[in-house]
Amino acid sequence: MNILDPLAARYATWLRLPAEATNDTGDEDPALVRAMPVVLRVERDPQPARTPLLEAAAAAAIAVCLDDRAATPDGPWHEDVDTWVRGRIRKVARRARGAHWEAVQDLPGITVSVDGAEARALVPGLVVESPKVLSRLQISGSELPEDTPGPVPAATPVLWLNPDVAMTVGKAAAQVGHATMLLAALLHASDRSDDLKSWSTNDFRCAVRTPTTARWRELHPGSDPDTAWREHGTTAVRDAGFTEVAPGTVTVIAQWP
């Protein structure tokens, strides 16, 4: 049993839903909404580069889920992570600098640094119960300019951002965090635990890139996500459309090397 099994089980069903159905929360009680906070360190000077910051956020999100404190049934994070994974996989990205960044280090979670950029994913919980040190952090603002990352390192998973959908750095951070979770869930479900273990020993490093529109269409799993994963090692993040993008939008395609 893997803590991400529920995510793998419903992946293909979610991709095949009508777009409007992805946004349907039914009778969901706002008081019971759970989310994983992802805190991005965005200092005034120097500001982090956008791509390393997204790569740090992506690695931090899956690191929390597969940490022994979450993955082990008697671990202190297990109940919170398990309950969250079985529901809607919401993430809320916030930005912090200076003393505010230092303060969130005391909250349960994992910080990842990539080329000087830092992100901390926290143990998911009820949004209404967010501690003040977290809730006072801004969600929007401090947008970072596009950068020009180099070639993808060998044997590195790639998270391809939709080239035709504009996303803030906070939105993109949440989406690439979803992508690494899906990769890990599908690796375990397809009996590739050795690949998953190897990835974990490399601190879940990944590359975030933006393909051409033509390349995006080639990578897109379309209506047959099972075949896309089995034959091409690709999986897609489809957003519910609560913020920034339309319901049903595929925001990221993750590709296992």
Side-chain angles (χ1 to χ4, degrees):
M1 180 68 178
N2 182 282
I3 199 166
L4 296 176
D5 283 349
L7 182 58
R10 66 176 183 265
Y11 163 65
T13 300
W14 177 257
L15 280 191
R16 294 184 179 114
L17 284 176
E20 61 275 10
T22 64
N23 195 259
D24 182 13
T25 58
D27 297 326
E28 186 177 46
D29 184 346
L32 299 179
V33 171
R34 294 177 177 271
M36 170 185 276
V38 179
V39 184
L40 311 175
R41 186 178 188 182
V42 183
E43 301 288 348
R44 288 191 176 91
D45 186 26
Q47 284 192 325
R50 181 184 175 99
T51 294
L53 188 61
L54 294 179
E55 291 173 352
I62 188 56
V64 167
C65 295
L66 295 186
D67 187 277
D68 285 344
R69 288 166 288 184
T72 305
D74 60 354
W77 299 354
H78 181 80
E79 183 176 355
D80 286 328
V81 175
D82 184 59
T83 301
W84 174 63
V85 169
R86 292 179 185 279
R88 283 183 173 267
I89 308 297
R90 290 184 173 96
K91 293 185 180 70
V92 177
R94 299 177 183 271
R95 59 184 175 88
R97 61 172 64 98
H100 288 170
W101 169 254
E102 296 302 325
V104 299
Q105 303 308 303
D106 293 331
L107 300 176
I110 293 176
T111 296
V112 171
S113 178
V114 175
D115 296 337
E118 292 182 283
R120 183 171 181 82
L122 304 178
V123 174
L126 294 170
V127 173
V128 295
E129 294 182 357
S130 295
K132 188 174 181 180
V133 69
L134 180 64
S135 61
R136 70 187 177 187
L137 301 178
Q138 292 190 5
I139 296 176
S140 60
S142 295
E143 186 55 26
L144 299 173
E146 298 289 342
D147 55 357
T148 52
V152 174
T156 301
V158 186
L159 313 179
W160 300 100
L161 299 175
N162 190 326
D164 301 316
V165 175
M167 291 183 282
T168 64
V169 68
K171 180 68 173 181
Q175 300 304 295
V176 294
H178 294 346
T180 52
M181 287 178 63
L182 277 172
L183 276 180
L186 293 176
L187 283 172
H188 182 266
S190 54
D191 295 324
R192 296 172 64 178
S193 294
D194 287 347
D195 286 343
L196 185 54
K197 183 177 181 180
S198 176
W199 192 24
S200 71
T201 61
N202 195 30
D203 298 323
F204 299 107
R205 288 299 300 267
C206 51
V208 174
R209 298 292 188 270
T210 302
T212 64
T213 297
R215 178 59 175 152
W216 174 265
R217 289 172 180 163
E218 292 175 359
L219 292 164
H220 200 295
S223 60
D224 193 355
D226 295 325
T227 298
W229 172 249
R230 186 172 59 253
E231 296 185 359
H232 306 294
T234 55
T235 181
V237 176
R238 194 179 189 213
D239 195 66
F242 293 117
T243 60
E244 295 193 27
V245 303
T249 299
V250 173
T251 53
V252 180
I253 295 173
Q255 185 177 31
W256 188 255

